[in-house]
Amino acid sequence: MSKSMDEIKAVNPSLAVKLDTKYVVTGTPLPSCLAPRESAEVEEKKDDRDGGGGDGKKKKQGMNKKRPRDEKKDRSTMICKSVVRGTVCPYEEGKCKFSHDLQKFYDERPKDLGDRCYLFDTYGFCTFGVSCRWGKCHIEEGTGVNLNGSTAMPSKMKPLIDFRNKVYIAPLTTVGNLPFRRIMKNFGADITCAEMCLASNLLQGQVSEAALLKRHHTEDVFGVQLAGGFSDQWARAAELIEKECPDVDFIDMNCGCPLDIVCDKGAGSAMMNKPNKMKNAIIAMANKFSGPITVKMRTGWDEKKPFADTLTAKIQSWELPNVAAMMVHGRSRLQRYSKLANWDYIGKVAKNLDAHAEANGVRRIPLIGNGDIMSWRDFEVRRREGVLATAMLGRGALIKPWLPDEIKGKVDRDISATERLDMLKDFVNYGLEHWGSDQQGVNTTRRFMLEWLSFLYRYVPVGLLAEGRDGVQRMNERPPLICGRSDLETLMASDNGQDWVKISELLLGKVDDNFKFAPKHKSNSYTDNGGGSRNGGGNDTQG
């Protein structure tokens, strides 16, 4: 029992001194937490009573089965989640253990614990619907129908972006930096998107992650790509972008990154396996971000079991007004960038979306195909097939940055080595402007240029292609060893990293004797069967 102050002084004088007596009334029992422990003899007797060791046996940890528990409710008195969500119950009629009588459950539901539901206020919906103890604010009075999915959009909504017939530069990890995007704008790109940004890192205040959100004023339509595994991450990251980056036009939801370190956190391609989590994330972002949202995914997890056709139709059925477009990369998560993109399957996805929209009377969400577009002919073929709302360029833009010009002009440009060196000069100038002209800025600019050169060397000039190729260079073909029309052209075609360093020295001066460079992206995707490269350059780049 609790002890008075006098008793405490008698048993434990030091404790009595530590207590501020001006807040204690003499003779008043103190809280048990301030009372001295009972003697060891008493404690031992209590252990004997509790079965904690009186018989010499050590009490097993985690075996307290006598602790109080909540009484289990009869499932027949609980509402089926499918009824709450307005979907079809997966069990046959009469075999579901939960109640399907929504009206009865509504009439008998207990009084709410409060006026506002935190989940509904935060995300614009509450999946618990009529069973929510704060549900009055998001269920229809008299019927119990949940207002789940009604997105409370920001007051000033930015209009949806028309992606049709635009040249869109995909978010490219490492190499899709601001100076590179400026180069792409010089060559006619319409839409640019920053490289993948991890929502968790952004929310932790990492400067390197926040720098990815920066836009250059020459970028006409600019988006940022986010990757995350939880709705609260998406919501808070979208809110941060809304407040701190008002010049961001759209957010691209990454559901396609194949990297283990991303997927293991439930982000990237792992999001494709959780449609409900994806829906919750989209709605959560819509409540915090006034611009449109796009969703980028792959064909599926395994190339033998693609499911992007059903997933895109499901997203379309949600009728979320802020979803401006969906992108499908023509490879599965396990493929990464090996083998050719499956454009036949992307065509199937497009036709399925057409049929779904017509049958259900819902808005047809534009579909953007992605993968292996390396020439204007590739784009024209896809567009004639009715697959592309626009062209999304990834590695093709890294190898041929002038590809947007070729697509718009329907021409094959034979870019000389001198023109490419001038392009690299522009990149250096943009890099020094962006990263700084001190030694650290020079080092950063050099390394990003070397990363780009690990792709750029794969370009084979049109004038050196074999006859009958019609100026077509294919993505997964291993670039041949060529003897250029000039020493500079030969140097630029080298797959040796030391030659890339020599090119950087033409623009940024000599490197230190201890300077080393290894490209971040190793390629295994030059041939149709996934053959390896001679030195690397271009694999996991697209976010």
Side-chain angles (χ1 to χ4, degrees):
M1 59 180 289
S2 300
K3 305 290 183 181
S4 69
M5 179 61 73
D6 293 336
E7 290 173 313
I8 290 177
K9 287 180 180 179
V11 178
N12 194 336
S14 62
L15 176 62
V17 171
K18 292 179 182 178
L19 294 174
D20 190 346
T21 56
K22 67 181 179 181
Y23 293 111
V24 180
V25 178
T26 305
T28 302
L30 294 175
S32 58
C33 62
L34 294 180
R37 292 176 60 86
E38 300 196 345
S39 66
E41 182 180 355
V42 177
E43 291 281 0
E44 184 176 352
K45 290 180 179 180
K46 290 176 70 176
D47 283 344
D48 289 343
R49 291 195 302 270
D50 295 339
D55 55 358
K57 295 182 180 179
K58 187 177 180 181
K59 183 180 178 181
K60 293 182 179 180
Q61 297 296 318
M63 296 293 288
N64 186 11
K65 296 183 178 179
K66 295 182 180 180
R67 66 190 185 280
R69 297 170 182 255
D70 292 336
E71 182 182 354
K72 290 186 177 180
K73 292 185 177 181
D74 183 356
R75 292 185 178 182
S76 63
T77 65
M78 302 167 65
I79 194 71
C80 176
K81 290 185 178 180
S82 297
V83 175
V84 172
R85 295 169 181 166
T87 59
V88 178
C89 180
Y91 297 98
E92 295 180 13
E93 186 175 355
K95 291 188 176 182
C96 181
K97 296 181 180 180
F98 296 91
S99 171
H100 282 221
D101 192 337
L102 180 64
Q103 187 64 54
K104 180 181 178 182
F105 188 88
Y106 173 76
D107 293 338
E108 297 177 354
R109 66 188 298 272
K111 185 179 179 181
D112 278 7
L113 299 178
D115 297 329
R116 303 304 308 169
C117 170
Y118 172 79
L119 298 178
F120 185 75
D121 289 345
T122 304
Y123 303 114
F125 71 102
C126 175
T127 56
F128 295 94
V130 71
S131 61
C132 173
R133 292 305 312 278
W134 293 263
K136 281 287 187 180
C137 65
H138 58 73
I139 58 177
E140 189 177 79
E141 186 175 358
T143 66
V145 174
N146 191 22
L147 302 181
N148 179 23
S150 59
T151 56
M153 301 292 186
S155 57
K156 295 182 179 179
M157 282 294 298
K158 298 176 183 177
L160 291 182
I161 298 169
D162 185 1
F163 286 92
R164 294 173 298 177
N165 301 321
K166 303 291 195 311
V167 178
Y168 180 3
I169 307 303
L172 302 164
T173 304
T174 305
V175 281
N177 46 67
L178 185 147
F180 173 77
R181 299 198 306 269
R182 290 184 65 179
I183 295 292
M184 297 310 304
K185 284 299 303 177
N186 293 346
F187 285 117
D190 299 307
I191 303 171
T192 50
C193 188
E195 58 186 287
M196 181 182 71
C197 175
L198 295 176
S200 57
N201 293 351
L202 181 65
L203 294 172
Q204 289 171 7
Q206 292 189 13
V207 177
S208 59
E209 215 73 15
L212 302 178
L213 308 180
K214 188 174 182 180
R215 172 188 192 163
H216 193 263
H217 66 84
T218 59
E219 297 180 90
D220 299 317
V221 181
F222 172 70
V224 297
Q225 188 183 68
L226 287 179
F230 304 95
S231 295
D232 65 321
Q233 286 182 345
W234 292 101
R236 288 185 289 135
E239 184 176 19
L240 187 150
I241 292 172
E242 177 73 16
K243 292 181 178 179
E244 304 297 333
C245 308
D247 56 353
V248 170
D249 295 313
F250 67 96
I251 293 178
D252 183 41
M253 184 179 185
N254 184 310
C255 300
C257 180
L259 299 181
D260 293 340
I261 193 173
V262 176
C263 293
D264 289 348
K265 296 179 181 179
S269 294
M271 286 290 287
M272 294 189 299
N273 298 322
K274 303 288 184 180
N276 287 335
K277 182 181 287 189
M278 184 185 295
K279 179 181 180 180
N280 293 347
I282 295 173
I283 296 174
M285 283 192 289
N287 283 306
K288 303 296 182 180
F289 180 67
S290 60
I293 294 168
T294 60
V295 183
K296 189 172 189 288
M297 68 186 74
R298 286 178 170 248
T299 58
W301 194 262
D302 186 337
E303 64 178 308
K304 296 180 181 178
K305 298 179 180 179
F307 57 81
D309 55 330
T310 57
L311 180 56
T312 52
K314 181 173 291 187
I315 295 174
Q316 189 167 264
S317 70
W318 296 336
E319 297 189 81
L320 300 176
N322 56 309
V323 177
M326 294 182 287
M327 297 85 166
V328 175
H329 182 98
R331 296 179 177 89
S332 68
R333 184 263 171 174
L334 295 182
Q335 279 183 275
R336 297 202 173 190
Y337 287 88
S338 63
K339 300 185 180 181
L340 292 172
N342 189 346
W343 278 94
D344 290 337
Y345 181 74
I346 295 176
K348 176 183 177 181
V349 174
K351 292 177 182 177
N352 189 55
L353 285 175
D354 288 336
H356 176 269
E358 184 176 354
N360 295 278
V362 297
R363 174 176 64 96
R364 168 60 155 89
I365 299 178
L367 180 71
I368 299 173
N370 177 218
D372 300 344
I373 294 180
M374 192 74 170
S375 70
W376 66 269
R377 293 175 181 80
D378 293 334
F379 175 47
E380 285 299 308
V381 169
R382 312 308 179 198
R383 187 161 61 176
R384 283 198 300 269
E385 292 174 351
V387 172
L388 293 181
T390 188
M392 175 177 270
L393 310 181
R395 288 177 297 163
L398 292 171
I399 299 169
K400 293 171 58 178
W402 49 90
L403 188 52
D405 272 352
E406 290 190 347
I407 289 175
K408 291 182 175 182
K410 299 182 181 179
V411 295
D412 299 305
R413 295 185 58 186
D414 188 354
I415 303 296
S416 68
T418 303
E419 289 177 287
R420 280 186 280 160
L421 186 63
D422 289 339
M423 176 186 68
L424 291 174
K425 287 180 183 177
D426 288 338
F427 178 84
V428 166
N429 291 334
Y430 299 157
L432 297 177
E433 179 184 338
H434 183 54
W435 291 302
S437 58
D438 58 354
Q439 189 57 51
Q440 183 177 348
V442 171
N443 294 344
T444 302
T445 300
R446 187 192 303 274
R447 289 200 175 272
F448 277 113
M449 183 172 70
L450 291 172
E451 293 286 0
W452 185 18
L453 285 168
S454 71
F455 292 89
L456 199 58
Y457 88 91
R458 293 176 55 183
Y459 169 64
V460 180
V462 173
L464 298 180
L465 284 172
E467 292 184 9
R469 293 296 298 268
D470 295 328
V472 176
Q473 178 183 355
R474 295 179 178 84
M475 179 68 71
N476 284 27
E477 290 180 334
R478 187 193 300 270
L481 289 170
I482 64 173
C483 180
R485 294 164 291 190
S486 66
D487 291 342
L488 181 59
E489 192 166 69
T490 302
L491 181 66
M492 286 187 164
S494 172
D495 66 351
N496 189 322
Q498 292 304 311
D499 288 332
W500 307 338
V501 174
K502 291 179 182 178
I503 296 172
S504 78
E505 290 179 328
L506 295 175
L507 304 171
L508 289 168
K510 289 287 186 179
V511 298
D512 295 335
D513 293 337
N514 60 353
F515 180 86
K516 294 181 180 180
F517 171 75
K520 183 177 180 180
H521 302 288
K522 297 291 186 179
S523 175
N524 65 344
S525 57
Y526 284 139
T527 60
D528 288 357
N529 61 0
S533 75
R534 294 188 297 273
N535 189 40
N539 189 6
D540 294 324
T541 58
Q542 296 182 50

